[in-house]
Amino acid sequence: MIGEEYFQSRARRCPPQNVAAVPDAAAVFLIHASQGTPYLARTSRLRRRLRRLFGTPERPSRLPDLTGIAQSIEYWVCGSRLESSILFYSLARRYYPDTYAKIAKLKMPAFVKLTLGNPFPRTLVTSRLTGRGLFFGPFRSRASAEAFDAQSLDLFQVRRCEENIEPNPAHPGCIYGEMSMCLRPCQAAVGRQEYASEVGRFEHFLNTGGASLVETVAHARDRASDELDFEEAARQHKRYERVQTVLSLRDELVCDMERLFGLAVTPSSAAESVTLWFVLGGRWASPVDFPLAASGSEIVSLDHRLRGVVATLSEPRLTALERQEHVALLARWYYSSWRDGEWLQFDGLARLPYRKAVNAVARVGKGQESRVTGPERKT
């Protein structure tokens, strides 16, 4: 469970007869019965939802009477939709281990995988983080992953065939080899080392977000222009525009999964606080409640306190499936129309942009304060 200690410390309980005492706020809740698994749900207004389930003396529920079945109600008030999504998934995983993915409506995102376990690596689009290779993602959809994969391969001579190659000059080859869009390792036109060099260029292109090829093409274009070779300069400029077009197909979160680090800053259910959600190598760390003001009389800057939080972080140890689900939660929140809070992405904790993070904390905290107090009334 993501942040199990964090969420358990915020769990609240009440008897079914006292639903009027619960807050009418966004929450995830469990209804524990005397037998069987509890009923799990989430709502934007907890008190209203429970009144519909249990009814009141003045207004009985239209549903079957749950008062005699339910033993207790356990609930968590959520400050953001990200918190609600992660908590709901974690509870579903605990209480419904066989069907939690369906209950949480967890859809696995698409990745472009470079199959380094193959003697002659190739790419494929997958939704599983398994096997040896480099994974680039998560993409917004499988269609966007396939479009990026196909068009990025047009810039390199990496093979597209799916067969396990055994180099043989008698191999019939394919159309890409005839068009000089593949080095034709199947026909033994190149050796393994030369093909690996081209794969390395492609990998570097992906890891640098295309910067390695953009800089090379831009330099070749400028050099041709300086030498008054305008035909070559025009050809390189067209290639430059083509590279930019391919890069525009890459969705915002896409990177090498080992370098997927980020920070989501969201409103908190606690007063005068925000919640920090760190992603470390594609894994959610336990959330951190971050007060906007330091406790006590000592004045400590946001930057200093944030650095103290980062110093305590460590990457969670997860299975491949758990990590895949963590990335799915991130992709669903980030690419959704209901995303709340702010997101900062970086290559590693050593490169966390503290100034931007502090500004994000201040903006989210200010927005939360305005929601609580409401607009000032003009006199």
Side-chain angles (χ1 to χ4, degrees), residues 43-313:
T43 177
S44 59
R45 295 183 60 181
L46 178 61
R47 188 191 307 148
R48 182 180 66 175
R49 179 69 175 276
L50 292 178
R51 279 178 171 173
R52 287 179 176 177
L53 291 173
F54 292 96
T56 61
E58 300 80 13
R59 190 176 180 181
S61 173
R62 296 180 181 178
L63 300 174
D65 186 14
L66 299 178
T67 306
I69 301 175
Q71 298 292 312
S72 66
I73 301 170
E74 189 176 12
Y75 65 91
W76 294 260
V77 175
C78 298
S80 67
R81 289 167 179 165
L82 176 61
E83 181 176 3
S84 174
S85 177
I86 289 179
L87 175 58
F88 188 85
Y89 155 79
S90 299
L91 292 173
R93 187 179 177 91
R94 172 189 291 179
Y95 291 103
Y96 301 89
D98 297 327
T99 58
Y100 68 90
K102 183 177 180 180
I103 292 173
K105 298 180 180 179
L106 200 60
K107 181 180 179 181
M108 300 304 166
F111 307 90
V112 173
K113 177 182 179 181
L114 188 58
T115 59
L116 296 182
N118 193 294
F120 296 94
R122 64 182 181 90
T123 64
L124 58 90
V125 176
T126 180
S127 59
R128 297 183 179 181
L129 294 175
T130 56
R132 182 185 171 190
L134 296 177
F135 295 86
F136 295 87
F139 285 84
R140 189 182 298 270
S141 65
R142 189 176 186 88
S144 63
E146 290 173 346
F148 177 78
D149 178 45
Q151 297 204 32
S152 62
L153 286 176
D154 288 344
L155 304 174
F156 298 89
Q157 292 182 297
V158 177
R159 72 185 182 101
R160 304 173 190 235
C161 53
E162 299 180 3
E163 63 179 295
N164 290 324
I165 291 179
E166 295 182 4
N168 187 340
H171 193 284
C174 66
I175 187 63
Y176 294 105
E178 297 297 328
M179 297 170 62
S180 298
M181 297 177 66
C182 176
L183 290 178
R184 297 183 296 162
C186 57
Q187 297 176 316
V190 296
R192 183 178 298 183
Q193 185 174 359
E194 187 175 352
Y195 183 79
S197 177
E198 182 69 5
V199 171
R201 289 181 59 243
F202 180 57
E203 179 184 345
H204 191 47
F205 167 81
L206 295 174
N207 278 327
T208 60
S212 61
L213 188 57
V214 168
E215 293 174 0
T216 300
V217 175
H219 179 71
R221 178 194 59 187
D222 295 342
R223 183 177 57 188
S225 179
D226 292 340
E227 296 174 354
L228 304 181
D229 188 353
F230 298 117
E231 290 185 0
E232 177 63 15
R235 190 179 72 83
Q236 292 294 341
H237 183 69
K238 287 184 178 179
R239 190 180 180 206
Y240 178 87
E241 291 179 334
R242 186 180 180 187
V243 174
Q244 294 289 3
T245 300
V246 172
L247 293 178
S248 67
L249 299 174
R250 195 182 71 156
D251 295 320
E252 298 93 324
L253 287 177
V254 174
C255 66
D256 180 359
M257 288 303 302
E258 296 300 326
R259 299 166 58 190
L260 179 55
F261 286 75
L263 167 63
V265 183
T266 65
S268 172
S269 57
E272 299 182 353
S273 298
V274 298
T275 305
L276 306 180
W277 305 82
F278 285 92
V279 174
L280 310 175
R283 307 166 182 87
W284 286 105
S286 180
V288 178
D289 230 359
F290 191 76
L292 299 175
S295 59
S297 58
E298 184 179 0
I299 299 177
V300 183
S301 67
L302 285 175
D303 181 276
H304 183 76
R305 291 194 289 122
L306 182 60
R307 291 178 185 271
V309 170
V310 173
T312 64
L313 296 176

Side-chain angles (χ1 to χ4, degrees), residues 13 16 30-39 66 68-73:
R13 287 180 177 267
L30 288 166
I31 300 178
H32 295 275
S34 55
Q35 295 180 352
T37 55
Y39 171 74
L66 299 178
I69 301 175
Q71 298 292 312
S72 66
I73 301 170

